[in-house]
Amino acid sequence: MLKITADKFPQMFGAINESMSLYLPVDRSDGKAEFKKWQEGDVWSDALNTERSAKDFFFPQSENLMKFKMEGKSIEVIDIRDENEDFVIFGARGCDVRSFDILDRVFLADPVDSFYKNRREHATVVSVACSRPAETCFCSSFGIDCTNPAGDVTLWREADAIYMEANTEKGDALLEKLSAFSEECDTKAVDAQKEKTAKILSKLPLKDLGTDAFGSGKTKEFFDSPLWSALSESCLGCGTCTFVCPTCQCYDIKEFNTGSEVIRYRCWDSCMYSDFTRMAHGNNRNSQVERFRQRFMHKLVYYPENNDGIFSCVGCGRCLSKCPISMNIVKVMKALGGNENA
């Protein structure tokens, strides 16, 4: 395990940024944290999590796919993809790191999404363990250990230093670049932090939220539940939950005519919108009840049905804090799972 003292953070960030673009959480003027391309003088945020997830690095909210030029009956297709630069996502929490695995199962399955694949191959992920999880956190319900998150490098942060351990070849290569600023150390500080965090986790209000009631083979049990009507009654269909979610992967493909060429692009979409999946014959889900049900059935039943029992939620708590009417996956799980007091 390697240790880098806090006074060397600027040098460390500079060393990483010499050969790769470095992105890390920084505080905005409104006090919220967001991932930003590092520049000298930027300060690593102390926030628990970024307002938007790190999903944007691999599946951006909007991206151009190709261009067309038309002259008479002739159409020229222009590939506008650029080779991605190597970059480092520094300081992703365990919930966001797990979300990458969930997205991989979608975008790297055959046929592989080459845009997503390109970004994944060029990225090195440095995760940071949580030392003060919030009351909205419930990642442990989905088997995530926030005290020892995955990633190419796992990092534990204390006031005076960070402790780092490589998990992959990419991680080894990154830590080699930092050898001039680091020193070998034992695991005492990390073990102490893990123990302290475990005590906090044991007292969180959602610590007993379980997933046993959900998963593969539960479609018939939950699809026609009378509870969906009451649960969805106050839903605004605003899509906020889907846009802050690190695992939502729905998108739409559209075209824009500039006058001289046509740009085909894709952008995030939401199953909570009334025009989601609308085709010539209309929409398959005409009511908010149906759209609401789709979102949570996908997270808790459909995705695990097709992905070895893995749920499409990582318990990051963003939907709990951002929903304007305080409706979220936790309330759905408690109601459908018959455990309102969990």
Side-chain angles (χ1 to χ4, degrees):
M1 183 168 289
L2 298 181
K3 174 182 178 181
I4 300 179
T5 55
D7 60 297
K8 295 178 181 176
F9 287 177
Q11 294 171 275
M12 173 185 67
F13 293 143
I16 296 174
N17 199 58
E18 283 181 358
S19 56
M20 297 181 284
S21 292
L22 170 64
Y23 296 86
L24 77 160
V26 298
D27 290 327
R28 301 188 313 218
S29 58
D30 62 0
K32 304 294 185 181
E34 67 178 359
F35 279 100
K36 177 188 173 187
K37 190 170 184 177
W38 180 82
Q39 294 179 327
E40 190 171 352
D42 285 341
V43 178
W44 181 13
S45 173
D46 192 42
L48 171 65
N49 220 335
T50 52
E51 187 171 36
R52 284 174 53 147
S53 78
K55 173 177 71 175
D56 297 64
F57 286 106
F58 306 120
F59 177 41
Q61 186 169 350
S62 179
E63 65 179 326
N64 293 336
L65 302 178
M66 62 183 72
K67 291 182 180 180
F68 304 91
K69 283 190 175 181
M70 295 173 287
E71 294 182 6
K73 295 183 178 181
S74 175
I75 300 177
E76 179 187 4
V77 180
I78 305 170
D79 188 345
I80 58 176
R81 286 177 292 186
D82 293 322
E83 182 68 16
N84 272 71
E85 61 183 358
D86 290 333
F87 63 99
V88 175
I89 306 172
F90 192 98
R93 297 293 179 176
C95 49
D96 276 2
V97 177
R98 171 66 67 83
S99 77
F100 303 155
D101 296 334
I102 292 171
L103 295 174
D104 284 351
R105 288 174 172 265
V106 176
F107 291 108
L108 298 184
D110 191 38
V112 172
D113 186 307
S114 58
F115 292 84
Y116 179 92
K117 181 174 182 287
N118 191 10
R119 294 187 180 95
R120 282 293 271 148
E121 290 176 343
H122 284 273
T124 299
V125 178
V126 179
S127 67
V128 59
C130 294
S131 59
R132 44 183 182 81
E135 291 188 353
T136 53
C137 294
F138 55 104
C139 65
S140 59
S141 297
F142 297 99
I144 299 169
D145 183 0
C146 68
T147 71
N148 189 29
D152 297 302
V153 173
T154 302
L155 178 154
W156 293 265
R157 184 179 183 181
E158 291 289 340
D160 60 344
I162 57 173
Y163 302 84
M164 308 174 79
E165 194 168 62
N167 303 315
T168 66
E169 290 184 5
K170 284 183 178 180
D172 286 328
L174 180 63
L175 293 191
E176 180 64 29
K177 297 177 186 294
L178 306 180
S179 58
F181 316 111
S182 60
E183 58 185 83
E184 292 283 348
C185 68
D186 57 37
T187 64
K188 288 182 180 179
V190 169
D191 293 339
Q193 185 190 105
K194 288 181 178 180
E195 184 177 350
K196 183 179 178 180
T197 305
K199 291 180 180 178
I200 298 174
L201 291 169
S202 69
K203 298 177 182 179
L204 292 181
L206 300 177
K207 63 181 177 63
D208 294 324
L209 182 68
T211 60
D212 291 346
F214 306 97
S216 178
K218 299 298 180 71
T219 298
K220 183 176 178 58
E221 179 179 346
F222 291 121
F223 191 84
D224 293 322
S225 171
L227 294 174
W228 291 116
S229 180
L231 288 169
S232 65
E233 188 174 12
S234 59
C235 179
L236 304 176
C238 66
T240 297
C241 54
T242 59
F243 274 61
V244 298
C245 179
T247 66
C248 280
Q249 64 260 181
C250 293
Y251 62 86
D252 196 3
I253 294 180
K254 299 183 178 182
E255 293 180 352
F256 176 70
N257 192 334
T258 67
S260 60
E261 60 189 9
V262 175
I263 300 175
R264 177 173 292 175
Y265 67 97
R266 70 174 169 188
C267 53
W268 292 352
D269 204 349
S270 173
C271 58
M272 306 297 274
Y273 294 161
S274 59
D275 62 350
F276 181 71
T277 67
R278 186 172 61 190
M279 295 174 279
H281 76 283
N283 196 323
N284 291 322
R285 304 181 189 98
N286 293 311
S287 69
Q288 193 59 37
V289 175
E290 293 171 299
R291 295 189 285 271
F292 184 92
R293 179 180 61 192
Q294 165 62 26
R295 170 169 167 74
F296 296 107
M297 286 291 285
H298 181 261
K299 298 288 185 190
L300 300 171
V301 179
Y302 303 155
Y303 189 93
E305 176 80 42
N306 296 299
N307 291 277
D308 305 315
I310 297 173
F311 292 94
S312 183
C313 177
V314 294
C316 68
R318 288 183 176 95
C319 63
L320 276 69
S321 61
K322 293 299 180 183
C323 178
I325 51 91
S326 298
M327 175 49 68
N328 52 66
I329 194 169
V330 170
K331 290 184 177 180
V332 171
M333 290 173 70
K334 287 182 176 181
L336 293 179
N339 191 6
E340 293 282 357
N341 297 318

